Amino acid sequence: MATAQSRLERRETEALLEERSGLEKHCCHCGSTAVRRWGKTRTQLQRWRCSDCGKTFSSATGTLVERVHRRDGMAAVAKDMMARQPQPCRALAAALGVDKMTVWRWRTRLLAALGDVGQSGLKGIVEADETYFRESRKGSREWVRHQRAPSRHPKPPRLRWRDYDRQGIPLPRGLSRWQIPVLVTRDRGGATAANRLRSTRLREIAQSLTPRLARDAMLCTDAAGVYRTYANRTGRAIEQVNTSLNQRVRANGVYHIQNVNAFHARFKEFMQPFRGPATKYLDGYVAWMLMRDANAQSSDGANPIFVRAL
């Protein structure tokens, strides 16, 4: 029964690939329209050959599923990424009958397809606020290399997070370079954008906000001075609420940042089962969360992550 289900999913995946590609009309190498059928691939996709450049291709050529033999498994990973609670790599690998590292590679490849997720042209009242994630070097071998060869590998700049508890060392308090900021902007229509910042200085804030906001958009932020400075220098209207004084809303509930803070809460809840993924993958997780949030109420049967991978 499992084999029949796997075959059905594979046929559905290949059909979606052929439907979405449209590569039979031109060569993906040189752009020529002088193409003809040239047999089948090992996964039974139609292969094409260009009469001008002599190269062959299929509907998978040039996509993120190129050279992936278990495309049905990759589609299952994409489906799991949009589930209410995504499974850990080990559990999903056991269900698919593959190695856990295979699932991890598929997931990272799908995350690469989400690099430009997020909306621009936010209009009306646009809430902006940053949230922070603890810096993580999960998978790094820096401490192992240092212990094996201290003369060749310098001591890492901080202890592993678990060592703070084990050795009874106080954790760094407040905001520091070990807290990675993620700026989230969201208008009242639900359009959202987010990205990781290198710092919360004016230059970084300006580079993140300016491409996203419509010309007549009004900013609504907390009382951080960097947003006021940005608004003054760009001539943009801004309203601020002082959350440190327990001020949540102003002007009879018109001005607040509760929508963006609610997104922060959903984001933190989504990240919790992953137990602090490595910071180098944080951009991918931000895009993943944006895709999940944008399609939370979608009734379209096509998986938006797998479609982008094609």
Side-chain angles (χ1 to χ4, degrees), residues 222-245:
D222 59 15
V226 65
Y227 296 112
R228 173 66 64 181
T229 303
Y230 168 76
N232 291 337
R233 293 191 179 183
T234 58
R236 187 176 297 278
I238 184 172
E239 293 290 340
Q240 294 183 293
V241 292
N242 196 336
T243 55
S244 62
L245 298 179

PDB file of all heavy atoms in Angstrom, residues 222-245:
ATOM      1  N   ASP A 222       7.769  51.495  18.030  1.00  0.00           N
ATOM      2  CA  ASP A 222       7.942  51.774  19.454  1.00  0.00           C
ATOM      3  C   ASP A 222       8.733  53.077  19.590  1.00  0.00           C
ATOM      4  O   ASP A 222       8.959  53.787  18.611  1.00  0.00           O
ATOM      5  CB  ASP A 222       8.629  50.606  20.157  1.00  0.00           C
ATOM      6  CG  ASP A 222      10.002  50.275  19.574  1.00  0.00           C
ATOM      7  OD1 ASP A 222      10.559  51.106  18.825  1.00  0.00           O
ATOM      8  OD2 ASP A 222      10.530  49.183  19.866  1.00  0.00           O
ATOM      9  N   ALA A 223       9.180  53.372  20.799  1.00  0.00           N
ATOM     10  CA  ALA A 223       9.794  54.677  21.055  1.00  0.00           C
ATOM     11  C   ALA A 223      11.282  54.724  20.732  1.00  0.00           C
ATOM     12  O   ALA A 223      11.965  55.675  21.125  1.00  0.00           O
ATOM     13  CB  ALA A 223       9.573  55.072  22.515  1.00  0.00           C
ATOM     14  N   ALA A 224      11.812  53.742  20.017  1.00  0.00           N
ATOM     15  CA  ALA A 224      13.234  53.747  19.679  1.00  0.00           C
ATOM     16  C   ALA A 224      13.579  54.980  18.854  1.00  0.00           C
ATOM     17  O   ALA A 224      12.890  55.312  17.871  1.00  0.00           O
ATOM     18  CB  ALA A 224      13.598  52.477  18.916  1.00  0.00           C
ATOM     19  N   GLY A 225      14.663  55.660  19.231  1.00  0.00           N
ATOM     20  CA  GLY A 225      15.030  56.899  18.559  1.00  0.00           C
ATOM     21  C   GLY A 225      15.464  56.718  17.132  1.00  0.00           C
ATOM     22  O   GLY A 225      15.362  57.651  16.327  1.00  0.00           O
ATOM     23  N   VAL A 226      15.943  55.512  16.756  1.00  0.00           N
ATOM     24  CA  VAL A 226      16.433  55.309  15.396  1.00  0.00           C
ATOM     25  C   VAL A 226      15.303  55.447  14.383  1.00  0.00           C
ATOM     26  O   VAL A 226      15.512  55.948  13.262  1.00  0.00           O
ATOM     27  CB  VAL A 226      17.113  53.925  15.283  1.00  0.00           C
ATOM     28  CG1 VAL A 226      16.123  52.793  15.496  1.00  0.00           C
ATOM     29  CG2 VAL A 226      17.820  53.780  13.948  1.00  0.00           C
ATOM     30  N   TYR A 227      14.069  55.071  14.759  1.00  0.00           N
ATOM     31  CA  TYR A 227      12.942  55.205  13.827  1.00  0.00           C
ATOM     32  C   TYR A 227      12.547  56.672  13.656  1.00  0.00           C
ATOM     33  O   TYR A 227      12.215  57.110  12.545  1.00  0.00           O
ATOM     34  CB  TYR A 227      11.744  54.388  14.319  1.00  0.00           C
ATOM     35  CG  TYR A 227      11.991  52.906  14.350  1.00  0.00           C
ATOM     36  CD1 TYR A 227      12.065  52.213  15.552  1.00  0.00           C
ATOM     37  CD2 TYR A 227      12.151  52.188  13.172  1.00  0.00           C
ATOM     38  CE1 TYR A 227      12.294  50.852  15.591  1.00  0.00           C
ATOM     39  CE2 TYR A 227      12.374  50.825  13.192  1.00  0.00           C
ATOM     40  CZ  TYR A 227      12.453  50.159  14.409  1.00  0.00           C
ATOM     41  OH  TYR A 227      12.686  48.798  14.435  1.00  0.00           O
ATOM     42  N   ARG A 228      12.588  57.437  14.741  1.00  0.00           N
ATOM     43  CA  ARG A 228      12.292  58.862  14.648  1.00  0.00           C
ATOM     44  C   ARG A 228      13.327  59.563  13.776  1.00  0.00           C
ATOM     45  O   ARG A 228      12.986  60.400  12.940  1.00  0.00           O
ATOM     46  CB  ARG A 228      12.256  59.474  16.049  1.00  0.00           C
ATOM     47  CG  ARG A 228      12.121  60.980  16.095  1.00  0.00           C
ATOM     48  CD  ARG A 228      10.781  61.465  15.550  1.00  0.00           C
ATOM     49  NE  ARG A 228       9.680  61.001  16.373  1.00  0.00           N
ATOM     50  CZ  ARG A 228       8.403  61.268  16.100  1.00  0.00           C
ATOM     51  NH1 ARG A 228       8.077  61.975  15.019  1.00  0.00           N
ATOM     52  NH2 ARG A 228       7.442  60.824  16.898  1.00  0.00           N
ATOM     53  N   THR A 229      14.600  59.216  13.943  1.00  0.00           N
ATOM     54  CA  THR A 229      15.648  59.808  13.115  1.00  0.00           C
ATOM     55  C   THR A 229      15.455  59.463  11.653  1.00  0.00           C
ATOM     56  O   THR A 229      15.607  60.313  10.766  1.00  0.00           O
ATOM     57  CB  THR A 229      17.035  59.332  13.593  1.00  0.00           C
ATOM     58  OG1 THR A 229      17.191  59.663  14.973  1.00  0.00           O
ATOM     59  CG2 THR A 229      18.138  59.984  12.795  1.00  0.00           C
ATOM     60  N   TYR A 230      15.114  58.203  11.382  1.00  0.00           N
ATOM     61  CA  TYR A 230      14.871  57.785   9.997  1.00  0.00           C
ATOM     62  C   TYR A 230      13.711  58.558   9.387  1.00  0.00           C
ATOM     63  O   TYR A 230      13.795  59.027   8.243  1.00  0.00           O
ATOM     64  CB  TYR A 230      14.587  56.288   9.950  1.00  0.00           C
ATOM     65  CG  TYR A 230      14.052  55.805   8.629  1.00  0.00           C
ATOM     66  CD1 TYR A 230      14.891  55.660   7.531  1.00  0.00           C
ATOM     67  CD2 TYR A 230      12.691  55.525   8.471  1.00  0.00           C
ATOM     68  CE1 TYR A 230      14.383  55.230   6.307  1.00  0.00           C
ATOM     69  CE2 TYR A 230      12.186  55.098   7.252  1.00  0.00           C
ATOM     70  CZ  TYR A 230      13.035  54.952   6.178  1.00  0.00           C
ATOM     71  OH  TYR A 230      12.540  54.549   4.963  1.00  0.00           O
ATOM     72  N   ALA A 231      12.629  58.726  10.132  1.00  0.00           N
ATOM     73  CA  ALA A 231      11.465  59.449   9.616  1.00  0.00           C
ATOM     74  C   ALA A 231      11.802  60.916   9.351  1.00  0.00           C
ATOM     75  O   ALA A 231      11.382  61.490   8.331  1.00  0.00           O
ATOM     76  CB  ALA A 231      10.305  59.330  10.593  1.00  0.00           C
ATOM     77  N   ASN A 232      12.561  61.533  10.238  1.00  0.00           N
ATOM     78  CA  ASN A 232      12.918  62.937  10.051  1.00  0.00           C
ATOM     79  C   ASN A 232      13.800  63.126   8.816  1.00  0.00           C
ATOM     80  O   ASN A 232      13.637  64.098   8.068  1.00  0.00           O
ATOM     81  CB  ASN A 232      13.627  63.471  11.293  1.00  0.00           C
ATOM     82  CG  ASN A 232      12.690  63.571  12.492  1.00  0.00           C
ATOM     83  OD1 ASN A 232      11.470  63.659  12.322  1.00  0.00           O
ATOM     84  ND2 ASN A 232      13.249  63.558  13.692  1.00  0.00           N
ATOM     85  N   ARG A 233      14.721  62.214   8.594  1.00  0.00           N
ATOM     86  CA  ARG A 233      15.647  62.354   7.467  1.00  0.00           C
ATOM     87  C   ARG A 233      14.995  62.034   6.129  1.00  0.00           C
ATOM     88  O   ARG A 233      15.439  62.519   5.088  1.00  0.00           O
ATOM     89  CB  ARG A 233      16.868  61.465   7.674  1.00  0.00           C
ATOM     90  CG  ARG A 233      17.738  61.905   8.851  1.00  0.00           C
ATOM     91  CD  ARG A 233      19.061  61.184   8.852  1.00  0.00           C
ATOM     92  NE  ARG A 233      19.905  61.634   9.962  1.00  0.00           N
ATOM     93  CZ  ARG A 233      21.146  61.209  10.169  1.00  0.00           C
ATOM     94  NH1 ARG A 233      21.697  60.328   9.334  1.00  0.00           N
ATOM     95  NH2 ARG A 233      21.839  61.653  11.198  1.00  0.00           N
ATOM     96  N   THR A 234      13.961  61.205   6.139  1.00  0.00           N
ATOM     97  CA  THR A 234      13.285  60.845   4.892  1.00  0.00           C
ATOM     98  C   THR A 234      11.981  61.600   4.691  1.00  0.00           C
ATOM     99  O   THR A 234      11.328  61.426   3.656  1.00  0.00           O
ATOM    100  CB  THR A 234      13.006  59.332   4.867  1.00  0.00           C
ATOM    101  OG1 THR A 234      12.206  58.972   6.004  1.00  0.00           O
ATOM    102  CG2 THR A 234      14.305  58.542   4.887  1.00  0.00           C
ATOM    103  N   GLY A 235      11.590  62.433   5.659  1.00  0.00           N
ATOM    104  CA  GLY A 235      10.345  63.185   5.542  1.00  0.00           C
ATOM    105  C   GLY A 235       9.107  62.325   5.612  1.00  0.00           C
ATOM    106  O   GLY A 235       8.080  62.667   5.021  1.00  0.00           O
ATOM    107  N   ARG A 236       9.180  61.233   6.344  1.00  0.00           N
ATOM    108  CA  ARG A 236       8.055  60.302   6.423  1.00  0.00           C
ATOM    109  C   ARG A 236       7.290  60.513   7.737  1.00  0.00           C
ATOM    110  O   ARG A 236       7.889  60.758   8.783  1.00  0.00           O
ATOM    111  CB  ARG A 236       8.565  58.866   6.342  1.00  0.00           C
ATOM    112  CG  ARG A 236       7.460  57.822   6.246  1.00  0.00           C
ATOM    113  CD  ARG A 236       8.043  56.442   6.074  1.00  0.00           C
ATOM    114  NE  ARG A 236       8.779  56.329   4.833  1.00  0.00           N
ATOM    115  CZ  ARG A 236       8.231  56.094   3.645  1.00  0.00           C
ATOM    116  NH1 ARG A 236       6.915  55.976   3.544  1.00  0.00           N
ATOM    117  NH2 ARG A 236       8.968  55.976   2.572  1.00  0.00           N
ATOM    118  N   ALA A 237       5.966  60.411   7.673  1.00  0.00           N
ATOM    119  CA  ALA A 237       5.144  60.525   8.872  1.00  0.00           C
ATOM    120  C   ALA A 237       5.376  59.323   9.774  1.00  0.00           C
ATOM    121  O   ALA A 237       5.540  58.192   9.303  1.00  0.00           O
ATOM    122  CB  ALA A 237       3.668  60.611   8.486  1.00  0.00           C
ATOM    123  N   ILE A 238       5.387  59.555  11.066  1.00  0.00           N
ATOM    124  CA  ILE A 238       5.632  58.485  12.021  1.00  0.00           C
ATOM    125  C   ILE A 238       4.837  58.741  13.293  1.00  0.00           C
ATOM    126  O   ILE A 238       4.672  59.890  13.721  1.00  0.00           O
ATOM    127  CB  ILE A 238       7.140  58.349  12.349  1.00  0.00           C
ATOM    128  CG1 ILE A 238       7.387  57.146  13.273  1.00  0.00           C
ATOM    129  CG2 ILE A 238       7.696  59.610  12.966  1.00  0.00           C
ATOM    130  CD1 ILE A 238       8.845  56.811  13.493  1.00  0.00           C
ATOM    131  N   GLU A 239       4.323  57.662  13.869  1.00  0.00           N
ATOM    132  CA  GLU A 239       3.679  57.688  15.173  1.00  0.00           C
ATOM    133  C   GLU A 239       4.341  56.603  16.020  1.00  0.00           C
ATOM    134  O   GLU A 239       4.596  55.499  15.534  1.00  0.00           O
ATOM    135  CB  GLU A 239       2.176  57.431  15.059  1.00  0.00           C
ATOM    136  CG  GLU A 239       1.405  58.529  14.343  1.00  0.00           C
ATOM    137  CD  GLU A 239       1.324  59.819  15.146  1.00  0.00           C
ATOM    138  OE1 GLU A 239       1.531  59.762  16.392  1.00  0.00           O
ATOM    139  OE2 GLU A 239       1.030  60.869  14.554  1.00  0.00           O
ATOM    140  N   GLN A 240       4.612  56.914  17.290  1.00  0.00           N
ATOM    141  CA  GLN A 240       5.308  55.983  18.160  1.00  0.00           C
ATOM    142  C   GLN A 240       4.512  55.742  19.445  1.00  0.00           C
ATOM    143  O   GLN A 240       3.828  56.648  19.933  1.00  0.00           O
ATOM    144  CB  GLN A 240       6.712  56.500  18.505  1.00  0.00           C
ATOM    145  CG  GLN A 240       7.637  56.564  17.291  1.00  0.00           C
ATOM    146  CD  GLN A 240       9.036  57.015  17.648  1.00  0.00           C
ATOM    147  OE1 GLN A 240       9.237  58.156  18.044  1.00  0.00           O
ATOM    148  NE2 GLN A 240      10.001  56.116  17.511  1.00  0.00           N
ATOM    149  N   VAL A 241       4.611  54.513  19.943  1.00  0.00           N
ATOM    150  CA  VAL A 241       4.023  54.158  21.232  1.00  0.00           C
ATOM    151  C   VAL A 241       5.158  53.760  22.162  1.00  0.00           C
ATOM    152  O   VAL A 241       6.078  53.055  21.764  1.00  0.00           O
ATOM    153  CB  VAL A 241       3.001  53.007  21.095  1.00  0.00           C
ATOM    154  CG1 VAL A 241       1.785  53.463  20.326  1.00  0.00           C
ATOM    155  CG2 VAL A 241       3.624  51.792  20.419  1.00  0.00           C
ATOM    156  N   ASN A 242       5.089  54.234  23.386  1.00  0.00           N
ATOM    157  CA  ASN A 242       6.154  53.983  24.355  1.00  0.00           C
ATOM    158  C   ASN A 242       5.786  52.755  25.186  1.00  0.00           C
ATOM    159  O   ASN A 242       5.144  52.844  26.221  1.00  0.00           O
ATOM    160  CB  ASN A 242       6.348  55.203  25.255  1.00  0.00           C
ATOM    161  CG  ASN A 242       7.664  55.156  26.000  1.00  0.00           C
ATOM    162  OD1 ASN A 242       8.226  54.086  26.210  1.00  0.00           O
ATOM    163  ND2 ASN A 242       8.152  56.314  26.405  1.00  0.00           N
ATOM    164  N   THR A 243       6.216  51.594  24.704  1.00  0.00           N
ATOM    165  CA  THR A 243       5.871  50.350  25.393  1.00  0.00           C
ATOM    166  C   THR A 243       6.565  50.232  26.740  1.00  0.00           C
ATOM    167  O   THR A 243       6.082  49.510  27.622  1.00  0.00           O
ATOM    168  CB  THR A 243       6.243  49.150  24.514  1.00  0.00           C
ATOM    169  OG1 THR A 243       7.636  49.223  24.149  1.00  0.00           O
ATOM    170  CG2 THR A 243       5.397  49.132  23.242  1.00  0.00           C
ATOM    171  N   SER A 244       7.702  50.916  26.920  1.00  0.00           N
ATOM    172  CA  SER A 244       8.392  50.852  28.208  1.00  0.00           C
ATOM    173  C   SER A 244       7.576  51.515  29.320  1.00  0.00           C
ATOM    174  O   SER A 244       7.768  51.222  30.497  1.00  0.00           O
ATOM    175  CB  SER A 244       9.768  51.514  28.105  1.00  0.00           C
ATOM    176  OG  SER A 244       9.641  52.892  27.782  1.00  0.00           O
ATOM    177  N   LEU A 245       6.664  52.419  28.952  1.00  0.00           N
ATOM    178  CA  LEU A 245       5.764  53.056  29.912  1.00  0.00           C
ATOM    179  C   LEU A 245       4.384  52.404  29.906  1.00  0.00           C
ATOM    180  O   LEU A 245       3.403  53.009  30.325  1.00  0.00           O
ATOM    181  CB  LEU A 245       5.632  54.549  29.596  1.00  0.00           C
ATOM    182  CG  LEU A 245       6.922  55.378  29.677  1.00  0.00           C
ATOM    183  CD1 LEU A 245       6.650  56.821  29.324  1.00  0.00           C
ATOM    184  CD2 LEU A 245       7.549  55.271  31.067  1.00  0.00           C
TER     185      LEU A 245
END
